[in-house]
Amino acid sequence: MSNSKIHLRASNSNITLPKRKAVALISGGLDSMLATKAILEQNVHVEGLNFFTGFCVEGHTQALRKKDTQKQKRNNALWVAEQLGIKLHIIDIVEEYKSIVINPKYGYGANLNPCLDCKIFMIQKAKEWMLENHFDFIITGEVMGQRPKSQRKHLMPIVAKESGAEDRLVRPLCAKNLPPTLPEQQKWIDREQLFNFSGRNRKPQMNLANTYGFAEYAQPAGGCCFLTNEHYSKKLQDLWTHRGEKLYELDDILLLKVGRHLRPRPHFKLIISREEGENHYLEGYCHQFIHLRPLSHPGPIALLEGEPSAEDLHLAAQIVARFSSRRTEACVTIQIQQGRDDPRTLEVIPLASEAIPEDWYI
């Protein structure tokens, strides 16, 4: 009898348990990179998710503007996945995400950032993907106390519960500050190899990056979402106010990232390019808008949104001339065109800079 028991134990010791699978939310920042690496180190198969909302900071304005030529023009989420050696799934959630931006249950942060609702929504989407693809748990790069709107200690259980992820949500960077999750309880991962980071100090993450051999990573710069940006949020609020409803399309929110935005009159707005790259970008929208451009001198393309009178168009032409290369000339020729209709021209005197009030700038 005793021999059979010994034999049974020996047989069981040779059993290979199935490799566990986790899905990681990959923003492209350092925290999600480290959190994913920590789980990869424990022999777990990991694949990444990156959600496209339209409000992402990277990969848009950087690619347009010459002043950003020193910055590497890359999708950081794809780059992180490549460094980690994992597959990345980029998922378009533009339409679904609108309800989060327009009517967040937990409200906005300092600007129009619905951070807590956003976190709940994205983890909910990750849970759906996890179940559909037969994965076991979810990884995020959250650090307790790092972000005031979504990562305070009392909010973390709310995110886990309302997203439906419950105890299958693992936050490797601050796991030791939280109750053990199912993967820890079931020994799919070793809790002792996780971390207890907290607060806004980035040194622990940077030290861990050095430990893992990550010499390069995206630097934090106020969040990866334009909705955290005060100037962008003002433009979005202006759009909602003058349309009389809190709605938007993808083109609306992309255009808010580009150019100078001026509202000389309540019923029309100008988007004026600041350099050649933005000129090329706005060219793609000329068929949708009334657009203006200097003919006599180099200068910007401007899109006009609204229903301008003849007097408004003359004022708009003067403003565009002000931002041309010959702003001090006595006369500048401006072409005005409605979509693909035949263009017409106006000869205008450029407005002086002091003639453009600060409250015209959005």
Side-chain angles (χ1 to χ4, degrees):
M1 181 69 71
S2 59
N3 287 340
S4 65
K5 286 183 179 179
I6 293 171
H7 177 73
L8 180 60
R9 286 173 185 157
S11 299
N12 285 343
S13 68
N14 294 325
I15 294 174
T16 302
L17 296 174
K19 191 172 185 178
R20 292 296 173 176
K21 298 192 291 184
V23 57
L25 272 65
I26 303 291
S27 66
L30 176 59
D31 291 344
S32 60
M33 187 180 193
L34 294 175
T36 303
K37 178 65 173 176
I39 300 302
L40 285 169
E41 289 286 293
Q42 298 204 34
N43 195 35
V44 174
H45 174 82
V46 181
E47 295 185 19
L49 293 182
N50 178 259
F51 294 111
F52 176 71
T53 66
F55 294 103
C56 308
V57 170
E58 66 175 35
H60 191 236
T61 54
Q62 284 182 13
L64 295 177
R65 304 200 63 193
K66 286 184 179 179
K67 78 169 192 175
D68 292 324
T69 52
Q70 300 305 311
K71 297 179 182 179
Q72 290 184 303
K73 293 173 173 54
R74 68 187 183 200
N75 181 302
N76 278 327
L78 283 171
W79 182 83
V80 164
E82 182 180 356
Q83 303 313 300
L84 294 169
I86 66 171
K87 183 185 292 187
L88 182 71
H89 307 269
I90 299 178
I91 300 176
D92 184 332
I93 58 169
V94 170
E95 288 300 316
E96 294 174 87
Y97 195 68
K98 287 179 180 179
S99 63
I100 303 301
V101 177
I102 291 168
N103 188 31
K105 176 179 177 181
Y106 290 98
Y108 299 111
N111 298 297
L112 288 179
N113 45 309
C115 293
L116 185 54
D117 293 83
C118 175
K119 181 64 68 176
I120 291 168
F121 177 76
M122 290 193 176
I123 294 175
Q124 180 182 27
K125 298 299 295 182
K127 181 203 170 188
E128 292 172 6
W129 191 96
M130 176 189 77
L131 295 175
E132 290 170 3
N133 292 275
H134 309 293
F135 276 53
D136 300 301
F137 61 99
I138 301 164
I139 308 163
T140 72
E142 294 167 277
V143 172
M144 183 180 294
Q146 187 175 97
R147 298 196 185 278
K149 184 64 181 175
S150 62
Q151 294 181 14
R152 296 201 299 271
K153 184 173 183 178
H154 75 279
L155 295 176
M156 290 188 145
I158 293 175
V159 172
K161 182 177 180 179
E162 295 214 11
S163 66
E166 302 285 357
D167 58 359
R168 288 181 184 263
L169 174 59
V170 178
R171 295 145 163 144
L173 299 186
C174 63
K176 289 183 178 179
N177 299 323
L178 298 165
T181 58
L182 179 68
E184 296 164 75
Q185 295 168 357
Q186 296 296 319
K187 308 301 181 185
W188 301 344
I189 56 176
D190 180 6
R191 182 176 174 85
E192 292 307 308
Q193 296 184 51
L194 305 180
F195 305 95
N196 63 347
F197 299 166
S198 66
R200 307 192 73 168
N201 186 355
R202 305 282 296 173
K203 287 184 179 178
Q205 287 95 308
M206 293 176 182
N207 292 335
L208 183 59
N210 290 334
T211 299
Y212 286 147
F214 296 142
E216 183 184 353
Y217 43 83
Q219 296 294 333
C224 60
C225 173
F226 266 107
L227 292 170
T228 64
N229 181 284
E230 179 184 1
H231 301 295
Y232 185 90
S233 293
K234 285 181 178 177
K235 293 173 188 175
L236 180 56
Q237 186 60 64
D238 172 83
L239 183 146
W240 286 342
T241 298
H242 288 89
R243 289 189 179 176
E245 55 185 354
K246 287 177 70 173
L247 296 175
Y248 65 83
E249 298 301 328
L250 179 59
D251 282 339
D252 293 327
I253 60 176
L254 294 180
L255 283 170
L256 293 181
K257 302 177 184 181
V258 179
R260 300 177 180 88
H261 289 239
L262 290 84
R263 190 172 290 281
R265 300 289 183 266
H267 53 278
F268 82 91
K269 181 180 83 167
L270 288 170
I271 304 173
I272 305 173
S273 67
R274 292 168 290 190
E275 59 179 58
E276 185 179 6
E278 292 189 341
N279 256 12
H280 293 320
Y281 186 76
L282 294 184
E283 283 276 7
Y285 288 92
C286 283
H287 67 285
Q288 299 178 36
F289 291 87
I290 298 172
H291 52 281
L292 303 88
R293 72 181 83 208
L295 289 184
S296 55
H297 307 93
I301 288 176
L303 305 182
L304 191 153
E305 184 181 90
E307 298 181 2
S309 65
E311 181 182 350
D312 295 331
L313 287 175
H314 189 272
L315 174 60
Q318 287 185 293
I319 295 170
V320 173
R322 156 69 184 86
F323 292 105
S324 75
S325 64
R326 296 294 186 268
R327 65 195 64 182
T328 59
E329 296 288 322
C331 185
V332 174
T333 304
I334 301 293
Q335 176 182 287
I336 302 174
Q337 188 172 7
Q338 170 87 55
R340 293 190 172 90
D341 294 346
D342 292 335
R344 61 192 182 94
T345 59
L346 284 178
E347 305 290 331
V348 298
I349 302 171
L351 279 187
S353 59
E354 59 268 21
I356 302 179
E358 280 296 318
D359 61 5
W360 285 9
Y361 290 90
I362 305 169

